[in-house]
Amino acid sequence: MDNLFFYSSKIIWFVIAPSHLYLYLLSICILLLFTSYRKSARKILCVMLFFIWTVALFPVGSWLFYPLETRLQHSPKLPETVDGIIVLGGSISPSMSLYWQQLETNQYHERLTTFIQLAKIYPEAKLLFTGGSAAIKRNQPTEAEFARQYFIDSGVLGSRLIIEDKARNTAENIQYSKMLVTPKPDENWVVITTAFHILRSIGLFCKQNWNVIHYHVDHATNPEKLYKLNVNLSGHVGSLSDASHEWVGLLAYFLTRKIDQILPTSCH
């Protein structure tokens, strides 16, 4: 079932990604222009032009991100004692890192730096990184291969690190992590991930009966700019795609009963 979910999620997202849908419609319009349905093609093109101008002028992606990032308290007060710290994969590009023979990260690098910071604050805590390869092809480099050395180079003791390298998505991150560390009910574990991704993560932890403390970073929204005009087509399209992906992920995880709520809050 895990394989079915993994591969089907890749295929479905490829089909319904906003940029792909726009490309499909544009192709259909071009074909219609060479038929007797030219008037219909012009109408569709006008709607598409309106849509693309809306996205270019307004941060539509941020509007979708904002309720995900603000549903839980940001920068929560952490307890005096923390038994373990988990950072979810998704910030390292394994293929790029392999090609250039150095760590290559994306816009979610704060997950890694925050993990290092908290490791220093809680020197007795177990440190778990979870991240395999999200590539469809088998035997691809994993995030874990590069994460371990990066943490050690950043001053983290290798003996403290627990590395999970098989997870291909968030559901497997939590599933394999619990199998690896077998947390006790009275232990305090902190999970670090991107702000808009924290709800899906918390829902999965709750489903595994693992009550963790959320610590989200890499915020994608600035409330002061949510409703300001700003012509930025490429940036807004990328934001819209990422936000749509997260909402689709929440819905998919809810429909497949991997989480109990579309917008989880806590395990209680």
Side-chain angles (χ1 to χ4, degrees), residues 56-262:
L57 291 171
F58 297 100
V60 180
S62 293
W63 298 347
L64 295 175
F65 275 140
Y66 191 65
L68 301 179
E69 294 191 339
T70 56
R71 189 168 175 82
L72 298 177
Q73 178 188 356
H74 66 87
S75 301
K77 185 178 180 180
L78 298 179
E80 292 185 6
T81 301
V82 167
D83 298 285
I85 304 167
I86 311 167
V87 59
L88 303 186
S91 55
I92 298 174
S93 173
S95 59
M96 289 282 286
S97 298
L98 179 65
Y99 183 85
W100 295 109
Q101 289 298 299
Q102 65 182 43
L103 184 76
E104 298 287 343
T105 61
N106 54 32
Q107 67 269 35
Y108 309 129
H109 187 87
E110 282 181 36
R111 298 188 191 186
L112 306 179
T113 56
T114 303
F115 182 68
I116 294 168
Q117 291 171 358
L118 292 185
K120 294 176 180 178
I121 295 174
Y122 298 101
E124 302 300 322
K126 298 176 184 177
L127 305 176
L128 170 61
F129 174 89
T130 168
S133 170
I136 293 179
K137 290 184 179 180
R138 295 180 180 274
N139 301 318
Q140 296 300 300
T142 65
E143 289 190 68
E145 293 177 36
F146 303 94
R148 181 181 180 84
Q149 191 59 48
Y150 172 71
F151 293 138
I152 292 174
D153 292 343
S154 300
V156 179
L157 291 176
S159 58
R160 297 182 62 194
L161 291 169
I162 304 170
I163 304 295
E164 187 288 305
D165 63 356
K166 294 181 175 58
R168 298 170 295 180
N169 54 34
T170 309
E172 293 182 357
N173 282 143
I174 283 75
Q175 178 186 347
Y176 295 156
S177 293
K178 186 176 183 183
M179 293 169 60
L180 199 58
V181 300
T182 57
K184 298 176 182 177
D186 60 342
E187 289 183 338
N188 288 325
W189 283 80
V190 177
V191 59
I192 303 168
T193 190
T194 302
F196 67 77
H197 183 244
I198 196 67
L199 295 184
R200 184 152 50 114
S201 304
I202 289 296
L204 289 163
F205 275 106
C206 292
K207 198 69 174 180
Q208 290 287 333
N209 296 314
W210 190 355
N211 193 8
V212 295
I213 303 167
H214 61 85
Y215 198 96
H216 45 287
V217 296
D218 291 314
H219 291 80
T221 59
N222 183 343
E224 296 180 353
K225 297 182 179 180
L226 277 179
Y227 301 102
K228 289 185 178 180
L229 290 175
N230 177 25
V231 181
N232 183 6
L233 179 59
S234 60
H236 290 172
V237 168
S239 178
L240 175 61
S241 179
D242 290 342
S244 301
H245 184 272
E246 188 58 28
W247 277 99
V248 169
L250 283 163
L251 179 60
Y253 277 44
F254 175 72
L255 293 177
T256 55
R257 298 183 179 180
K258 294 183 183 299
I259 59 177
D260 292 327
Q261 297 174 289
I262 293 181

